[in-house]
Amino acid sequence: MSRESDLGIRMAHRAAIRSIERVVGESAPLQDPQVACNGIRRMLEAGSVLVLTGAGVSTDSGIPDYRGPNGSLLRHRPMTYQEFLHDPHARHRYWARSFVGWRHMALASPNSSHRRLATWEATGKLSGIVTQNVDGLHVAAGSMNVIALHGDLEQISCLNCGALEGRVQLDARLHEANPGYLERIDLDPSLVNPDGDVSLDEAHVAEFHMVGCLVCGSPALKPNVVYFGENVPAERKARLKELQARSASLLVIGSSLAVMSGYKLLLDARAAGKPVGLINGGPTRGDAKSDYRWRSNIAEALERLDAVPTPDPSAEARARPM
């Protein structure tokens, strides 16, 4: 590897680390929840809302978020694309951890938020859903027009020859290659990370046996997801641009927008003059650029949006004759 190539890899890795470690703080005053609720409800009533979801939508399915009060970043730094690509030991460690953690992800089922969003799409309120999550729960809930911005854990690709394999099939091969491995590990489900892996000690990592690609035999297999430091595929970006063009507004749910791939959707909506609403349990990177920002539990907020609207006292007062 040339010095220039090595320098480029290190710089990309450092940039990915900065993205992982980005702290999202308060950037705008809190908005009255009723004002935010009413504004977002009007967006939904107008229809063609593009929804962007983050990890906060899946926490009620037992999958932790990244940057919440109990988020996985407090105990775990996700692997960068550069590490996965160029560090075989780091890749082996990932697969040992993922072999243990993935089955918890596979057991997760859609929660009320996933199901409510699917219903909203079916009734024309939404133009589609863009999700930063890799758990596949929007599709499992019945949503039809979903763009998994960062991919899906259900598919595996070979970095050597490009062959694809389903994760269920790979898991069966890993079981065969590692008899009794799972039984020797006491897994705390709360420690499973949003990317499907879990912390393991080095002794367990060392005894794990990785299998190779079914086509070329290479052990360089990668979940078909976008890692920190990796670009979203061009084809996916093109689909996203088409969906943005036919959407009237943007509603971000359960994301701090710390990652640029999600934050750019908000910037694009603002540049196009489209209304923007945010629903999240904590501050987001886009608070100062939004029309409506609702600090709330996700499931409770979506349920309230489906309830009978609460009259706005100030609006009633303005409507009375002088």
Side-chain angles (χ1 to χ4, degrees):
M1 183 182 297
S2 69
R3 177 179 298 180
E4 292 78 10
S5 177
D6 183 57
L7 177 61
I9 291 169
R10 291 201 310 264
M11 290 178 64
H13 170 71
R14 286 197 292 269
I17 295 296
R18 287 195 296 272
S19 178
I20 292 170
E21 294 178 343
R22 180 175 289 115
V23 176
V24 177
E26 302 289 356
S27 61
L30 293 177
Q31 192 172 46
D32 180 88
Q34 191 60 58
V35 171
C37 177
N38 289 344
I40 293 171
R41 183 180 282 119
R42 287 193 294 271
M43 289 168 51
L44 292 168
E45 289 171 350
S48 295
V49 178
L50 174 59
V51 166
L52 170 67
T53 65
V57 169
S58 291
T59 54
D60 285 346
S61 294
I63 301 172
D65 60 11
Y66 277 113
R67 291 178 171 81
N70 300 308
S72 68
L73 287 182
L74 297 175
R75 63 177 185 275
H76 160 75
R77 176 180 71 74
M79 186 180 297
T80 70
Y81 180 60
Q82 290 69 36
E83 288 173 310
F84 200 98
L85 206 60
H86 301 287
D87 186 343
H89 176 72
R91 190 165 57 237
H92 181 87
R93 184 173 64 247
Y94 167 82
W95 278 114
R97 294 157 57 120
S98 180
F99 177 52
V100 176
W102 176 77
R103 61 212 62 264
H104 176 73
M105 296 281 286
L107 290 173
S109 58
N111 60 53
S112 63
S113 297
H114 297 109
R115 293 190 293 271
R116 197 176 301 274
L117 290 172
T119 299
W120 288 356
E121 181 192 14
T123 55
K125 293 179 179 179
L126 310 185
S127 57
I129 297 172
V130 178
T131 184
Q132 295 172 300
N133 301 336
V134 295
D135 51 38
L137 293 180
H138 283 299
V139 173
S143 291
M144 302 298 293
N145 193 14
V146 179
I147 297 177
L149 193 60
H150 297 155
D152 194 317
L153 286 172
E154 290 295 322
Q155 194 173 56
I156 307 302
S157 60
C158 175
L159 295 174
N160 183 56
C161 73
L164 299 177
E165 180 180 8
R167 180 58 196 261
V168 173
Q169 182 180 7
L170 175 66
D171 191 63
R173 296 200 293 129
L174 290 174
H175 263 287
E176 186 176 351
N178 294 273
Y181 187 84
L182 294 173
E183 290 74 14
R184 295 191 293 273
I185 295 173
D186 184 20
L187 173 63
D188 179 352
S190 68
L191 298 182
V192 177
N193 301 306
D195 49 1
D197 75 355
V198 64
S199 296
L200 290 180
D201 59 47
E202 284 301 317
H204 283 122
V205 171
E207 67 174 290
F208 174 75
H209 296 282
M210 185 56 188
V211 298
C213 171
L214 289 171
V215 175
C216 71
S218 170
L221 302 180
K222 175 183 174 293
N224 204 10
V225 300
V226 177
Y227 277 64
F228 286 95
E230 184 178 7
N231 293 323
V232 173
E235 176 272 334
R236 206 171 297 162
K237 288 181 179 178
R239 286 181 57 211
L240 176 57
K241 187 175 285 291
E242 293 175 1
L243 184 54
Q244 287 177 288
R246 61 176 186 265
S247 299
S249 58
L250 174 70
L251 176 58
V252 180
I253 306 175
S255 173
S256 66
L257 296 175
V259 178
M260 189 62 196
S261 57
Y263 183 52
K264 188 177 185 302
L265 269 69
L266 183 145
L267 297 179
D268 290 346
R270 296 312 300 168
K274 298 177 181 180
V276 173
L278 308 174
I279 304 174
N280 198 45
T284 85
R285 194 178 178 186
D287 284 356
K289 299 180 183 297
S290 66
D291 298 287
Y292 310 108
R293 49 189 178 277
W294 190 357
R295 191 73 59 81
S296 172
N297 171 275
I298 302 302
E300 293 174 2
L302 300 193
E303 181 179 8
R304 186 170 166 185
L305 285 166
D306 258 351
V308 177
T310 301
D312 183 349
S314 61
E316 290 183 357
R318 291 192 299 270
R320 294 191 191 106
M322 299 298 289

